[in-house]
Amino acid sequence: MSKHSKERTGEEETTVTPTDTKSESEETSTEESVDTTEVADDVDKYDEPTETADETSESAEPATPKRRIQWARVFAFGVLPAVALLLALGAGYLKWMDNSVRNSETARIESTQAAKDSTIALLSYKPDTVEQQLGAARDLLTGDFRDSYTSLTHDVVIPGAKQKQISAVATVPAVASVSAKPNQAVVLVFVNQTVIVGQDAPTDTASSVRVTLDKVGDRWLIAKFDPV
């Protein structure tokens, strides 16, 4: 080979070297870029399992169990006692009402009979026994009416009956209960009274009286005697 050819070959080699260097640099840069991308992908891959593990651990945490209402216990310890209490109260109320009705009925019967008998005793007398009769009638009264009746009989009725030979007979054809409570009652009394003065003809009068009675002990006594 000639010297000229060798020089040319050297120039070609010299020319080729920069190109090869550039190519190697590009390849190196490309490889580095690829390596960087792979590293980033690897990092992402390592990160993903961590996040997945966190999510798994969160989902794996046991949920707080909801407390279920035990209806059987509620029914046994809440509803049944309330129903039993209501039934007991209802039974007590009915018994009280029944007793009240019975007591009121008893008071009505007793007070009407007492009003009838006492009215007859108050308005009936004879000249010879007037003091004893009206004195006994006084024991059938109570309160202020007892005092006023005592004054009237002692001051007017007894002296007049003895002096003028007055006699009176009272009858009660009907009575009606206005109200009746265990300790007090009001009775409407219808009265027929026949009065004889000396040798005169009898005089008949009819009237009605509103009689208020109070129960004192086991006796019904007249507290008010109001003509109507």
Side-chain angles (χ1 to χ4, degrees):
M1 182 178 291
S2 63
K3 184 180 180 181
H4 181 73
S5 298
K6 290 180 180 180
E7 292 176 355
R8 186 174 182 180
T9 302
E11 288 176 0
E12 288 177 357
E13 291 177 355
T14 304
T15 304
V16 170
T17 300
T19 303
D20 294 340
T21 303
K22 183 177 181 182
S23 298
E24 290 175 0
S25 298
E26 290 177 355
E27 290 177 359
T28 302
S29 175
T30 303
E31 290 177 356
E32 291 177 353
S33 176
V34 171
D35 292 341
T36 303
T37 304
E38 290 177 353
V39 170
D41 291 340
D42 291 340
V43 171
D44 292 339
K45 289 179 181 179
Y46 282 117
D47 289 339
E48 287 177 359
T50 303
E51 294 177 357
T52 305
D54 293 338
E55 293 176 357
T56 303
S57 62
E58 291 178 358
S59 62
E61 291 180 357
T64 303
K66 295 183 178 179
R67 190 173 184 179
R68 299 180 62 183
I69 299 175
Q70 296 181 355
W71 292 108
R73 292 176 63 86
V74 172
F75 185 79
F77 295 103
V79 177
L80 288 180
V83 172
L85 178 61
L86 290 176
L87 290 176
L89 291 175
Y93 176 75
L94 291 177
K95 185 176 181 180
W96 177 81
M97 286 292 295
D98 182 62
N99 290 336
S100 296
V101 171
R102 290 185 180 184
N103 292 337
S104 297
E105 183 64 15
T106 301
R108 184 186 68 80
I109 295 172
E110 293 179 352
S111 62
T112 53
Q113 187 62 45
K116 179 180 178 179
D117 295 341
S118 298
T119 299
I120 292 174
L122 290 176
L123 302 177
S124 300
Y125 53 89
K126 295 179 180 180
D128 297 336
T129 57
V130 61
E131 194 167 358
Q132 292 81 5
Q133 285 178 295
L134 298 186
R138 180 177 177 274
D139 293 336
L140 303 174
L141 313 178
T142 186
D144 294 338
F145 180 61
R146 177 188 174 98
D147 297 335
S148 62
Y149 179 81
T150 300
S151 298
L152 176 64
T153 55
H154 283 178
D155 296 341
V156 178
V157 178
I158 293 175
K162 288 181 177 181
Q163 181 181 359
K164 298 181 179 180
Q165 295 295 298
I166 300 173
S167 64
V169 178
T171 59
V172 176
V175 292
S177 177
V178 176
S179 64
K181 298 178 182 179
N183 296 319
Q184 188 178 67
V186 177
V187 181
L188 184 62
V189 181
F190 298 91
V191 182
N192 291 330
Q193 187 181 40
T194 301
V195 177
I196 301 174
V197 179
Q199 300 299 321
D200 296 343
T203 302
D204 295 329
T205 58
S207 61
S208 57
V209 183
R210 181 185 176 92
V211 180
T212 301
L213 303 100
D214 292 340
K215 191 170 186 179
V216 180
D218 58 349
R219 302 175 63 200
W220 287 95
L221 303 179
I222 295 178
K224 294 180 181 180
F225 196 82
D226 302 317
V228 293

